[in-house]
Amino acid sequence: MRLICGLALLAAATTPAVAFTPASRVAAWGSSTALQSTVEAVSGAEIKAKYDAALEKMKAKDASSAALSKEDLKIVYEDEHIVVVDKPSGVLSVSGKDGSPSLAGAVFEAYGCEGGSADKMVVHRLGMDTSGLIVFARTMAALRGMNSAFRTRKVTRTYEALVCGHVEQDSGVID
């Protein structure tokens, strides 16, 4: 996802705005003082620098992921096909390219899987700052079945949030 966003930003930064607009609009824009006074030109180098800074910030945060041992894992359910783990916040669900500690790595070290790597166990993920239940597959059949269930939205997710201030309703749904 980061790569796709980065490539889109880079493409947009290196392509003139005129390429995205009809010729009739270009002439109208050139004569508009309102547009000229509210739009700043941003160079491709500026966009790339902002992208690089954001990427470095994400890498630093990923590097701060807490390492977990088997004793740290809170197993909610386990059988020969799946392991359900209560993921604490501050831990990556899966490792990045830099090999940061992750829940998937800890579960793989503790339980192993038929696929032979932590990547072959991951059914779904939660963000680093999010806590909650994560399902890991121990067999390839379980991985295929669970991936299909998530992809076809047969599995529903429920999130709870701690909020400050006054909330008018006790519950609700965000689509």
Side-chain angles (χ1 to χ4, degrees):
M1 184 63 179
R2 289 180 188 162
L3 176 64
I4 292 169
C5 291
L7 292 175
L9 280 173
L10 209 50
T14 57
T15 306
V18 175
F20 297 109
T21 58
S24 60
R25 291 269 177 129
V26 173
W29 284 0
S31 62
S32 170
T33 57
L35 183 63
Q36 290 172 356
S37 64
T38 60
V39 176
E40 278 186 45
V42 179
S43 71
E46 290 174 293
I47 291 174
K48 184 171 179 343
K50 287 182 180 181
Y51 169 77
D52 288 342
L55 192 58
E56 285 305 313
K57 188 176 178 181
M58 285 188 280
K59 285 180 183 178
K61 185 171 184 177
D62 287 356
S64 72
S65 178
L68 298 174
S69 66
K70 183 174 182 174
E71 294 76 33
D72 296 327
L73 296 175
K74 295 179 185 172
I75 306 302
V76 175
Y77 177 82
E78 156 191 12
D79 65 22
E80 64 274 6
H81 302 287
I82 64 170
V83 178
V84 180
V85 182
D86 186 1
K87 177 195 161 309
S89 65
V91 176
L92 288 171
S93 293
V94 295
S95 294
K97 290 180 182 177
D98 62 351
S100 299
S102 69
L103 185 63
V107 171
F108 177 73
E109 286 181 26
Y111 294 93
C113 76
E114 199 177 88
S117 75
D119 292 346
K120 303 280 190 205
M121 296 183 79
V122 178
V123 174
H124 67 102
R125 300 174 293 199
L126 291 175
M128 183 173 175
D129 295 330
T130 305
S131 62
L133 299 181
I134 295 190
V135 180
F136 291 97
R138 296 177 73 183
T139 65
M140 295 307 291
L143 182 65
R144 283 189 298 275
M146 294 299 292
N147 281 341
S148 176
F150 273 86
R151 189 174 39 255
T152 58
R153 304 213 183 259
K154 291 179 180 169
V155 175
T156 58
R157 298 180 186 199
T158 303
Y159 294 88
E160 292 183 6
L162 186 60
V163 297
C164 296
H166 177 71
V167 179
E168 291 183 21
Q169 298 175 346
D170 291 337
S171 65
V173 175
I174 300 173
D175 287 325

